[in-house]
């Protein structure tokens, strides 16, 4: 029987479990906090979520292809940047442990357990957790429809799930991420992943077959907002209303610094320094710098995009003295102290592309970063300097943007074709 201290920990820390004197990753990030109960024997049953919220303010909206008013589009983007698309049917949010489990690490103090839980929860990026959570819910729903256990899942069941996903037209990369989420959930629950269980050969061969069958598939890439497109988008933003000023600065800085969406929304005013030659922006951490060593991005003061002038105009118009650099606004145009979300950046890019006469479905938040590299490659920039500016870890990634233009430069058949 657990002592009183262990029982208290069991009640206060439902995300920690004991298995042979070890604790494992808190599964609440993937399986959901509200539907976790305590048990012994690690038997799990799926728990269904409540019906999607009916509040119309939480519904997702995409900007129309031919918007009558550009600001109405970007206002819609702000209103929906934090709203998750409502699923067509209720989805399972987690798993309920239905049998009693022993409390985790009986000798660990409550404060120690809280600290460990907090830092373990930060081990994975938020975007990764969101993607894995979505994939896991889809898999649990598939298992429920067939009365199959999702945790632990048999290799044959996972193989059947992935095969059905492939037949329904799901992209090869998405199928790979689905499997990664299933493996992650099993390891988080201290269970053997389906890829490592007896009988995993059928799963491995199924995945190979899917990859082989879809080898002709080419990933759909969003358009890059290169120099010409970005100038069109900036010109299509009318007036000096606060939202217009923000969006111009967001687009110009996003492209000029080759920033990722996550980097843009994480910027603080204290990260920006105006210097005679332009801007120095400290990126505290990023996808390629998870430990937060920091990377310096410089944007020269040039007249074509005028990123420096547009950012200065935004800071002055918004009267920002500290805190987040790019901030969310209400649909009514009121500035808030909250930073924009990465989804909000994508919606603004789509809205402003639509206002400039482009198909918004062809653009995303990554279009700004890709736009810089595409334009730099077109202008014959040094690939090493491009890599340095974009903070890519290898030249191979940058080479994709340069290669298309280099194919026609100094072609072997220039003299006779």
């Amino acid at each position: 029987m657990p002592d009183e201290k262990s029982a208290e920990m069991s009640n206060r820390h439902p995300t920690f479990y004991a298995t042979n004197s070890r604790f494992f990753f808190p599964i609440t990030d993937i399986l959901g906090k509200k539907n976790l109960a305590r048990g012994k024997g690690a038997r799990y049953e799926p728990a269904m979520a409540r019906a999607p919220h009916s509040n119309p303010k939480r519904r997702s909206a995409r900007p129309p292809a031919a918007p009558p008013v550009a600001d109405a589009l970007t206002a819609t983007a702000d209103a929906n940047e934090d709203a998750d698309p409502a699923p067509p049917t209720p989805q399972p949010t987690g798993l309920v442990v239905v049998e009693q489990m022993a409390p985790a690490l009986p000798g660990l103090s409550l404060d120690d357990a809280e600290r460990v839980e907090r830092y373990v929860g930060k081990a994975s990026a938020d975007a990764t957790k969101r993607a894995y959570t979505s994939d896991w819910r889809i898999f649990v729903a598939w298992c429920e429809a067939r009365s199959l256990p999702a945790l632990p899942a048999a290799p044959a069941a996972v193989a059947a799930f992935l095969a059905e996903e492939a037949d329904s037209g799901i992209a090869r990369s998405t199928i790979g991420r689905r499997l990664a989420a299933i493996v992650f959930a099993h390891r988080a629950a201290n269970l053997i992943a389906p890829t490592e269980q007896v009988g995993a050969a059928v799963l491995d061969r199924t995945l190979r077959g899917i990859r082989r069958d879809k080898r002709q598939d080419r990933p759909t890439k969003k358009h890059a907002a290169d120099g010409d497109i970005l100038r069109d988008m900036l010109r299509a933003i009318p007036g000096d209303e606060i939202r217009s000023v923000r969006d111009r600065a967001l687009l110009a800085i996003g492209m000029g610094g080759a920033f990722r969406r996550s980097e843009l929304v994480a910027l603080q005013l204290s990260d920006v320094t105006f210097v005679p030659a332009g801007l120095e922006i400290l990126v505290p951490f990023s996808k390629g710098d998870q430990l937060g060593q920091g990377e310096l991005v410089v944007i020269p003061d040039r007249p074509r995009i005028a990123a420096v002038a547009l950012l200065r105009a935004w800071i002055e118009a918004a009267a920002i003295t500290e805190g987040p650099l790019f901030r969310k606004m209400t649909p009514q145009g009121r500035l808030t102290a909250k930073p924009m979300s990465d989804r909000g950046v994508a919606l603004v890019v789509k809205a402003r592309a639509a206002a400039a006469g482009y198909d918004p479905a062809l653009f995303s938040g990554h279009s700004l970063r890709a736009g810089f590299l595409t334009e730099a490659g077109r202008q014959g920039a040094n690939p090493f300097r491009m890599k340095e500016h974009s903070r890519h870890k290898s030249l191979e990634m940058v080479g994709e943007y340069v290669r298309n233009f280099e194919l026609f430069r100094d072609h072997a058949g220039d003299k006779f074709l």
Side-chain angles (χ1 to χ4, degrees):
M1 293 295 292
D3 56 27
E4 293 182 0
K5 185 175 182 181
S6 298
E8 182 182 2
M9 288 183 63
S10 175
N11 292 332
R12 289 186 58 184
H13 297 279
T15 61
F16 281 82
Y17 301 87
T19 304
N20 298 328
S21 299
R22 293 181 298 168
F23 69 84
F24 54 84
F25 192 92
I27 61 175
T28 53
D29 287 328
I30 296 298
L31 309 182
K33 289 186 177 180
K34 294 184 178 179
N35 295 313
L36 282 169
R38 188 156 290 284
K40 183 177 182 180
R43 183 164 68 87
Y44 295 85
E45 291 180 355
M48 294 300 295
R50 286 185 285 180
H53 202 285
S54 60
N55 187 346
K57 293 182 179 180
R58 296 291 294 174
R59 294 175 184 166
S60 177
R62 289 183 177 271
V69 182
D71 282 348
L73 276 177
T74 192
T76 301
D78 277 304
N80 290 281
E81 69 175 62
D82 295 323
D84 295 325
T89 56
Q91 295 289 337
T93 58
L95 302 175
V96 177
V97 185
V98 295
E99 295 183 12
Q100 182 62 34
M101 287 183 82
L105 295 178
L108 192 67
S109 72
L110 293 176
D111 289 340
D112 288 338
E114 288 174 347
R115 279 190 288 269
V116 172
E117 179 177 359
R118 185 173 72 253
Y119 283 110
V120 170
K122 295 179 179 180
S124 298
D126 290 341
T128 300
K129 289 189 285 188
R130 285 195 301 269
Y132 280 7
T133 299
S134 174
D135 293 333
W136 176 251
R137 287 174 175 173
I138 292 171
F139 177 63
V140 172
W142 185 91
C143 289
E144 282 191 331
R146 292 157 181 77
S147 299
L148 295 173
L151 195 67
V158 178
F161 166 69
L162 297 181
E164 183 171 317
E165 291 285 282
D167 284 349
S168 63
I170 301 300
R172 181 175 57 182
S173 59
T174 303
I175 291 174
R177 197 191 65 212
R178 297 263 203 270
L179 178 60
I182 294 169
V183 170
F184 184 92
H186 279 71
R187 290 174 178 170
N190 208 26
L191 297 171
I192 300 176
T195 53
E196 301 168 358
Q197 295 176 19
V198 175
V202 65
L203 175 55
D204 178 66
R205 293 187 65 84
T206 299
L207 193 59
R208 289 186 184 184
I210 291 173
R211 289 170 177 165
R212 186 178 181 84
D213 184 66
K214 290 181 174 289
R215 60 187 172 183
Q216 298 298 330
D217 294 355
R218 293 292 181 265
T220 303
K221 294 185 178 181
K222 298 296 184 180
H223 279 204
D226 59 20
D228 292 335
I229 293 176
L230 189 73
R231 282 191 293 275
D232 289 342
M233 293 168 66
L234 292 174
R235 292 188 187 111
I237 302 177
D240 294 323
E241 186 263 337
I242 189 71
R243 192 189 310 278
S244 297
V245 178
R246 182 202 67 177
D247 288 359
R248 280 194 290 262
L250 179 71
L251 297 178
I253 293 298
M255 190 270 202
F259 286 114
R260 300 177 178 91
R261 292 180 300 166
S262 58
E263 296 170 348
L264 272 175
V265 299
L267 289 177
Q268 302 285 309
L269 180 63
S270 58
D271 297 326
V272 178
T273 302
F274 289 90
V275 296
L279 282 174
E280 292 181 352
I281 301 178
L282 176 65
V283 181
F285 56 88
S286 64
K287 179 180 179 180
D289 179 28
Q290 293 291 328
L291 298 181
Q293 296 180 354
E295 296 175 288
L296 188 65
V297 176
V298 299
I299 302 178
D301 190 1
R302 298 291 187 270
R304 291 175 64 84
I305 301 298
V308 177
L310 292 175
L311 181 62
R312 192 187 299 274
W314 158 243
I315 294 174
E316 293 176 356
I320 299 175
T321 58
E322 62 180 359
L325 183 61
F326 293 110
R327 305 186 177 196
K328 183 180 178 182
M329 300 181 65
T330 66
Q332 296 75 30
R334 183 176 60 84
L335 183 65
T336 74
K338 298 179 180 179
M340 295 181 68
S341 69
D342 55 358
R343 185 166 181 263
V345 173
L347 290 173
V348 168
V349 171
K350 287 176 175 290
R352 295 308 184 180
Y358 297 99
D359 183 355
L362 300 178
F363 292 84
S364 69
H366 183 69
S367 295
L368 300 177
R369 178 173 170 83
F372 176 90
L373 293 168
T374 299
E375 188 65 33
R378 181 183 293 129
Q379 299 298 333
N382 186 315
F384 290 95
R385 299 304 301 271
M386 293 170 60
K387 171 181 174 293
E388 178 183 284
H389 187 70
S390 64
R391 288 96 56 212
H392 277 102
K393 292 301 182 183
S394 69
L395 277 175
E396 182 179 357
M397 299 299 296
V398 176
E400 181 180 348
Y401 297 93
V402 178
R403 195 172 298 117
N404 291 338
F405 302 106
E406 291 293 336
L407 289 174
F408 292 94
R409 187 172 293 159
D410 295 327
H411 192 277
D414 278 347
K415 301 296 184 181
F416 60 88
L417 292 179

